[in-house]
């Protein structure tokens, strides 16, 4: 007769002989399983926004924790509306989407900023679907699209984040979607920026030292002095947080460039943004963090910027071609029109610094 049948408990085996059942890996592949994953109050941490300076694709990633269970959430925002919502058993995997093979700019968000951005992107997506349903209902009959369970995923994410349900307000097309929330300005530091004109065979670039707390409007004045341009010309910055320009009405969704600092849109070496001055595009890359400078300065560079009469790359290349044979009659007229006295190889750092010193 066994010990159990006699009313006695069986003797315990030593710990090293006991078998521990292995926990099955967390399965997040099907959306109907999501409500069972996290129970109780949700703690939000590790909130991050990732983006590319010249793309409309943004990834919002965070870690969701309830009790002893943790998952990573990845929200892909394409053109300001939610395109993908994914859960990851390993939270770090939610941050690897853009890091894998792309040069990205990444910045932390507070939990409230993360919730605000997710809610804005969810509303834009829902607004878009509602508009199509009202205006072009036959379009919905064509098919459900590549992500038919996105509404269910969006509804569950709203519940986890404590967001209100979708309210079909008339936001489209009368109201603009919310832009990405800018991070709060951090402590001021010095930045070395490499700035160059894009898509030219012979590089035209400057290395400047600036403060991170300079407004983008002030950075434009610095770059105008560095490249010997009129600071009154139209300009625009493209950042992972959207566009910033002198005239926020000139491009849909832009904000004013005097309302944001450089340190809010780039924070670390390697971060990039795009700068447009009239029809000329420039890339800007943070090279290093340095001590706080007293004033902006030019540390180096090569070649003269195109003269003001050259309004685009085509006219500039015509001028360079004419300068190779300046005594040709046709070339003489072209040089007089596009750049009399222009030397494409000229660069004088001291002259650039004199112009920078005159900035107030």
């Amino acid at each position: 007769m066994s010990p159990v049948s006699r009313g006695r408990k069986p003797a315990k085996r030593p710990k090293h002989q006991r078998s521990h059942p292995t926990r099955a890996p967390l399965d997040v592949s099907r959306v109907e399983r999501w409500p069972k994953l996290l129970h109780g109050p949700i703690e939000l941490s590790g909130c991050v926004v990732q983006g590319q300076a010249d793309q409309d694709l943004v990834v919002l990633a965070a870690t969701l924790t309830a009790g002893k269970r943790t998952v990573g959430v990845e929200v892909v925002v394409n053109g300001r509306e939610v395109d993908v919502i994914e859960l990851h058993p390993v939270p770090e995997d939610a941050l690897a989407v853009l890091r894998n093979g792309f040069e990205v700019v990444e910045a932390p968000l507070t939990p409230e900023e993360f919730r605000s951005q997710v809610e804005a992107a969810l509303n834009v997506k829902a607004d878009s679907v509602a508009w199509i349903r009202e205006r072009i209902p036959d379009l919905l009959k064509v098919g459900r699209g590549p992500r038919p369970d996105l509404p269910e995923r969006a509804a569950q994410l709203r519940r986890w984040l404590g967001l209100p349900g979708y309210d079909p307000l008339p936001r489209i097309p009368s109201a603009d979607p919310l832009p990405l929330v800018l991070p709060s300005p951090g402590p001021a530091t010095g930045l070395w920026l490499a700035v160059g004109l894009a898509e030219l065979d012979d590089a035209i670039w400057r290395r400047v030292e600036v403060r991170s707390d300079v407004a983008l409007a002030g950075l434009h004045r610095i770059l105008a002095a560095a490249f010997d341009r009129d600071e009154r010309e139209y300009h625009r910055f493209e950042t992972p947080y959207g566009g910033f320009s002198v005239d926020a009405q000139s491009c849909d969704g832009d904000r004013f460039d005097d309302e944001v600092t450089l340190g809010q849109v780039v924070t670390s070496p390697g971060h990039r943004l795009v700068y447009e001055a009239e029809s000329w595009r420039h890339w800007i890359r943070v090279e290093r963090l340095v001590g706080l400078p007293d004033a902006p300065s030019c540390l180096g560079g090569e070649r003269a910027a195109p003269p003001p009469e050259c309004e685009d790359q085509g006219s500039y290349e015509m001028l360079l071609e004419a300068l190779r044979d300046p005594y040709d009659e046709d070339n003489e007229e072209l040089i007089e029109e596009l750049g009399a006295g222009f030397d494409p190889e000229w660069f004088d750092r001291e002259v650039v610094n004199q112009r920078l010193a005159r900035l107030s």
Side-chain angles (χ1 to χ4, degrees), residues 22 26 93 163 296 358:
T22 58
L26 196 62
D93 289 348
L163 300 176
R358 291 195 291 267

Side-chain angles (χ1 to χ4, degrees), residues 271-289:
H271 285 185
R272 290 175 177 257
L273 61 155
V274 173
Y275 166 63
E276 294 180 359
E278 293 296 344
S279 60
W280 293 97
R281 286 175 65 86
H282 308 65
W283 51 263
I284 300 177
R285 184 181 70 250
V286 179
E287 289 192 319
R288 67 175 66 177
L289 306 182

Side-chain angles (χ1 to χ4, degrees), residues 127-140:
D127 284 342
S128 176
V129 173
W131 186 87
I132 292 174
R133 183 177 291 112
E134 178 184 353
R135 304 291 181 88
I136 325 174
D138 291 341
L139 188 61
L140 297 176

Side-chain angles (χ1 to χ4, degrees), residues 291-346:
L292 197 63
D294 295 328
S297 63
C298 178
L299 306 176
E302 283 186 294
R303 299 182 180 86
E309 293 77 13
C310 292
E311 297 181 351
D312 54 29
Q313 183 176 345
S315 59
Y316 177 63
E317 290 176 349
M318 289 175 58
L319 173 61
L320 295 182
E321 184 66 28
L323 288 172
R324 295 187 181 98
D325 186 8
Y327 300 109
D328 179 270
E329 183 177 346
D330 293 335
N331 288 347
E332 285 182 357
E333 294 181 5
L334 190 62
I335 293 171
E336 185 68 26
E337 178 184 353
L338 294 179
F342 176 71
D343 178 4
E345 297 300 319
W346 181 89

Side-chain angles (χ1 to χ4, degrees), residues 27-305:
D27 187 357
V28 299
S29 59
R30 299 213 309 264
V31 70
E32 62 266 22
R33 295 174 178 163
W34 284 15
K36 303 176 182 178
L37 295 177
L38 302 175
H39 303 281
I42 303 291
E43 179 185 347
L44 195 58
S45 61
C47 305
V48 166
V49 58
Q50 297 176 324
Q52 297 172 266
D54 56 349
Q55 300 292 329
D56 292 331
L57 193 70
V58 171
V59 172
L60 301 165
T63 298
L64 305 178
T65 303
K68 296 182 179 180
R69 179 164 285 178
T70 298
V71 297
V73 62
E74 161 208 338
V75 181
V76 179
V77 181
N78 193 356
R80 296 189 177 179
E81 67 179 44
V82 168
D83 192 41
V84 176
I85 301 174
E86 295 287 356
L87 291 186
H88 298 270
V90 179
E92 291 78 10
D93 289 348
L95 295 171
V97 182
L98 287 183
R99 287 180 180 174
N100 185 19
F102 296 94
E103 184 173 352
V104 299
V105 177
E106 187 173 289
L109 296 176
T110 67
E112 285 309 309
E113 289 171 340
F114 180 83
R115 288 188 178 94
S116 173
Q117 289 310 301
V118 170
E119 182 180 14
L122 289 173
N123 285 341
V124 173
K125 180 64 176 181
D127 284 342
S128 176
V129 173
W131 186 87
I132 292 174
R133 183 177 291 112
E134 178 184 353
R135 304 291 181 88
I136 325 174
D138 291 341
L139 188 61
L140 297 176
K141 299 177 183 178
V142 176
R144 297 192 66 191
R147 300 180 180 88
D149 57 357
L150 185 60
E152 291 81 5
R153 295 180 178 226
Q156 182 59 54
L157 184 58
R158 284 181 184 272
R159 288 190 286 269
W160 277 336
L161 298 182
L163 300 176
Y166 171 66
D167 186 8
L169 298 175
R171 283 182 288 255
I172 288 182
S174 59
D176 292 330
L178 294 175
L180 279 172
V181 172
L182 286 164
S184 301
T189 184
L191 299 175
W192 279 17
L193 302 180
V195 187
L197 271 75
E199 301 177 357
L200 290 180
D201 293 336
D202 294 327
I204 300 173
W205 62 273
R206 305 287 184 265
R207 178 176 290 113
V208 295
E209 184 178 59
V210 299
R211 296 170 60 104
S212 64
D213 57 357
V214 64
L216 291 185
L219 179 61
H220 160 68
R221 297 184 65 212
I222 292 171
L223 297 180
F227 287 93
D228 193 19
R229 291 201 179 100
D230 187 344
E231 66 180 51
R232 295 169 296 180
E233 66 186 3
Y234 172 79
H235 61 276
R236 182 174 183 270
F237 292 89
E238 295 177 9
T239 81
Y241 299 93
F244 297 86
S245 59
V246 63
D247 178 8
Q249 306 302 319
S250 62
C251 191
D252 183 37
D254 273 9
R255 286 174 278 180
F256 289 110
D257 60 0
D258 59 356
E259 298 176 351
V260 59
T261 66
L262 176 63
Q264 287 179 278
V265 295
V266 291
T267 56
S268 301
H271 285 185
R272 290 175 177 257
L273 61 155
V274 173
Y275 166 63
E276 294 180 359
E278 293 296 344
S279 60
W280 293 97
R281 286 175 65 86
H282 308 65
W283 51 263
I284 300 177
R285 184 181 70 250
V286 179
E287 289 192 319
R288 67 175 66 177
L289 306 182
V290 295
L292 197 63
D294 295 328
S297 63
C298 178
L299 306 176
E302 283 186 294
R303 299 182 180 86

